[in-house]
Amino acid sequence: MRRFTIGLLAAVTLSTALSAVPAHADGGSGRPGLAHCAAGTCHFDVPPGTYDVRVTLGAAAASSTSVSGETRRSLLPETAAPAGKRLTRSFTVNVRTPEGEPTGPDGTPGLSLRIGGSAPALADIRVTPARHARQIFLVGDSTVCDQPGDPYSGWGQQLPQYLREGVSVANYADSGESTVSYLGNPKLWATVRPLIRPGDLVLIQLAHNDKTTDETTYRANLETLVAGVRERGGQPVLVTPIVRRWFNPDGTLNNGTALLVNGLGVDHPAVTRSVAAARDVPLIDLTAKTKELVESLGVEGSKALYLYNEARDNTHTSVRGATAYAALVRDELVTRHLVPKGKVRVR
């Protein structure tokens, strides 16, 4: 865990001295919450829910600070503050149990935030219940989920850093899931669906594990998910799967392995596009977007997006790859007017 710099320690001491009574996460006191922080981690004993977090960054020396939380979610990208300057940034975070993958361990109760960056300096932090937040629910597999261990990362784990206060990500993606298992496991769709409120977005990316799912079943399962979201007043968004890094000799990814065509000949991206068109559902063609990016980087350059160097894994993404793919999703959310431009960050 990254240690606080001397500048940060000074900032903590000063801010705490200004307020002997720390703020509680119920928003009642309105005082600084640095008493909840130690050794680079801030913990707030709050029940599951959605919370706005406001951080003030900066110290006497130049600083550069990022914030992550819960199960390795990136919540605020590294932000530089000049010497002697204070910057305020806000974001909204989803707190739930289990805090990571829905079929994983419960994790630590409450909200845990980790202060990182190359020269971290936290001058103040406040946590209050979010009153008008819009949720983005994620339904997906291991390429989307909050991966518990480094070096793995799902793109959904990196998406929160691109969103401003008022929009949070509730990542219910889970490793190893297909459309069949996601609908059948009571910890998954049966848990997510009742949480959807009118106006919430639900991004659905399931294909990597539908290796033995026939086309009729795959299509029907996507339609079931879409209908379930709409019945709750939510906005479904179908997302085609990220490509596998599987090159042809000519440097392209034009093959069934890369483009998620299963052993039965089911072209998952094509079926997803077809369902989106037939049911008038917004589509994020992440297959096309990631194919373009991977091919542009080439055989060698694209290795860093995946875990090829670490595990000869051409399916799961590194933090770098997941961050790049989350940016593609962010761009599509704005382009398709699913999230207002003012609610996203551009790194």
Side-chain angles (χ1 to χ4, degrees):
M1 182 173 293
R2 188 177 300 279
R3 295 182 179 276
F4 282 86
T5 62
I6 294 175
L8 176 56
L9 286 170
V12 171
T13 301
L14 174 61
S15 185
T16 305
L18 292 174
S19 178
V21 183
H24 295 287
D26 61 9
S29 67
R31 298 188 177 94
L34 287 169
H36 294 270
C37 305
T41 297
C42 302
H43 182 79
F44 297 85
D45 292 321
V46 297
T50 306
Y51 296 88
D52 291 331
V53 179
R54 186 177 73 179
V55 294
T56 302
L57 310 176
S63 62
S64 187
T65 310
S66 63
V67 181
S68 61
E70 300 295 84
T71 303
R72 302 177 60 237
R73 291 182 229 158
S74 295
L75 300 171
L76 184 71
E78 187 153 351
T79 302
K85 298 293 184 180
R86 294 286 189 268
L87 301 176
T88 299
R89 297 289 185 270
S90 299
F91 54 87
T92 302
V93 61
N94 172 256
V95 177
R96 60 183 183 274
T97 303
E99 68 177 28
E101 295 181 87
T103 62
D106 285 353
T108 304
L111 172 61
S112 294
L113 301 171
R114 283 165 287 284
I115 313 303
S118 57
L122 178 68
D124 190 13
I125 183 168
R126 302 187 186 192
V127 175
T128 56
R131 289 178 169 79
H132 302 291
R134 187 185 190 192
Q135 297 273 40
I136 299 179
F137 289 91
L138 302 183
V139 169
D141 53 35
S142 58
T143 66
V144 184
C145 76
D146 287 350
Q147 289 280 0
D150 186 66
Y152 289 82
S153 180
W155 62 255
Q157 202 164 19
Q158 301 300 324
L159 184 60
Q161 67 185 297
Y162 291 119
L163 301 171
R164 299 182 186 276
E165 181 180 333
V167 183
S168 72
V169 175
N171 191 349
Y172 282 86
D174 196 70
S175 293
E177 306 301 342
S178 65
T179 57
V180 176
S181 64
Y182 204 96
L183 285 167
N185 190 329
K187 292 184 178 181
L188 299 172
W189 185 237
T191 296
V192 176
R193 187 176 175 276
L195 301 176
I196 300 169
R197 301 171 303 180
D200 286 339
L201 290 178
V202 183
L203 276 56
I204 302 165
Q205 186 216 279
L206 287 166
H208 278 271
N209 300 300
D210 279 281
K211 298 170 184 175
T212 60
T213 308
D214 63 81
E215 183 171 338
T216 299
T217 302
Y218 184 67
R219 180 183 297 273
N221 288 344
L222 291 180
E223 290 174 341
T224 296
L225 291 164
V226 166
V229 174
R230 285 176 166 168
E231 287 164 4
R232 294 290 301 171
Q235 168 79 75
V237 180
L238 288 174
V239 183
T240 59
I242 68 169
V243 294
R244 294 191 180 100
R245 186 191 160 277
W246 199 266
F247 281 93
N248 295 324
D250 64 358
T252 68
L253 300 177
N254 296 318
N255 60 78
T257 299
L259 299 180
L260 282 294
V261 179
N262 74 8
L264 301 178
V266 180
D267 185 331
H268 294 101
V271 175
T272 304
R273 295 179 191 115
S274 175
V275 172
R279 300 295 177 179
D280 194 25
V281 178
L283 175 76
I284 294 177
D285 198 341
L286 202 53
T287 306
K289 293 291 184 181
T290 55
K291 178 178 183 292
E292 180 182 6
L293 177 57
V294 171
E295 287 181 341
S296 72
L297 292 172
V299 174
E300 291 301 318
S302 62
K303 287 179 178 178
L305 298 180
Y306 290 81
L307 296 173
Y308 179 86
N309 293 324
E310 297 85 354
R312 295 299 187 268
D313 187 334
N314 291 307
T315 297
H316 298 96
T317 48
S318 63
V319 170
R320 176 177 172 179
T323 302
Y325 290 176
L328 296 176
V329 173
R330 182 263 328 264
D331 293 345
E332 288 293 289
L333 291 173
V334 173
T335 299
R336 300 186 182 284
H337 305 290
L338 296 168
V339 174
K341 189 174 182 180
K343 288 294 184 180
V344 302
R345 288 192 177 89
V346 179
R347 290 185 64 176

